[in-house]
Amino acid sequence: MSSSRKSKVPRASRPAARLAAVQALYQRDMSGAPVPLLLREFHEHRLGREIEGGEFADADADLFDDIVSGVALSEETLDETIAGSLASGWTLDRLDRPMRQILRCGIYELSQRLDVPTGAVINEYVDIAKAFYEPPEPAFVNGLLDAVAKKVRAA
């Protein structure tokens, strides 16, 4: 394949999939919607679509599906990992819903998507945190995901 040939998956597709996964899981947390319904809704109405003048980036649908389904199936284990990584005196309940979804998604990828480099996972979820929060929360995401990565990806 020549280096000038374009990939079928746009460069921004993985970050868009991660952001959409956080949004879908937040929606699930708020509404209790079943995962198959969320996946269908996002595929049909959000991923790569224009809504109210804002365009959703084309997303890697396979990665989106894997993250949403994987987090939903392993939410209890992910929450235990988050709780075990928090500073003394902090509880999972102290984190708001978007933050829990960001951390769940990041930890899911770190533990289950070993094909994705650690730095890429951490950086992408820090960027998502920056879209939702002011400092110091993105640094919190960075620190927690880095600590988890050292445990789950230890050589």
Side-chain angles (χ1 to χ4, degrees):
M1 177 185 338
S2 73
S3 60
S4 63
R5 188 171 175 184
K6 291 186 177 180
S7 168
K8 290 181 181 180
V9 179
R11 182 176 173 94
S13 66
R14 286 187 152 227
R18 290 180 175 102
L19 176 59
V22 168
Q23 293 170 327
L25 289 161
Y26 173 77
Q27 183 174 324
R28 176 179 171 264
D29 196 24
M30 294 297 291
S31 70
V35 171
L37 179 66
L38 281 175
L39 294 177
R40 187 171 59 247
E41 177 186 330
F42 271 73
H43 282 274
E44 292 176 0
H45 302 291
R46 297 192 186 193
L47 302 180
R49 305 285 193 264
E50 185 174 323
I51 298 175
E52 298 174 9
E55 190 171 321
F56 284 74
D58 205 11
D60 180 334
D62 291 337
L63 179 62
F64 168 79
D65 291 352
D66 180 51
I67 295 169
V68 172
S69 299
V71 168
L73 286 172
S74 55
E75 191 172 289
E76 187 175 317
T77 302
L78 296 169
D79 285 352
E80 289 171 5
T81 302
I82 295 168
S85 302
L86 294 172
S88 179
W90 276 68
T91 64
L92 191 64
D93 293 335
R94 191 166 172 186
L95 303 176
D96 67 10
R97 288 177 173 179
M99 180 60 73
R100 284 194 301 260
Q101 300 313 326
I102 292 168
L103 295 173
R104 285 171 179 158
C105 290
I107 293 168
Y108 172 78
E109 277 202 72
L110 288 170
S111 62
Q112 301 301 314
R113 296 295 309 244
L114 301 180
D115 58 310
V116 182
T118 301
V121 173
I122 294 171
N123 289 336
E124 299 248 345
Y125 287 103
V126 167
D127 286 346
I128 291 170
K130 287 177 182 176
F132 287 92
Y133 300 99
E134 295 292 323
E137 280 81 356
F140 168 75
V141 169
N142 184 64
L144 192 138
L145 292 180
D146 184 59
V148 170
K150 287 175 181 167
K151 292 176 189 171
V152 300
R153 291 195 172 188

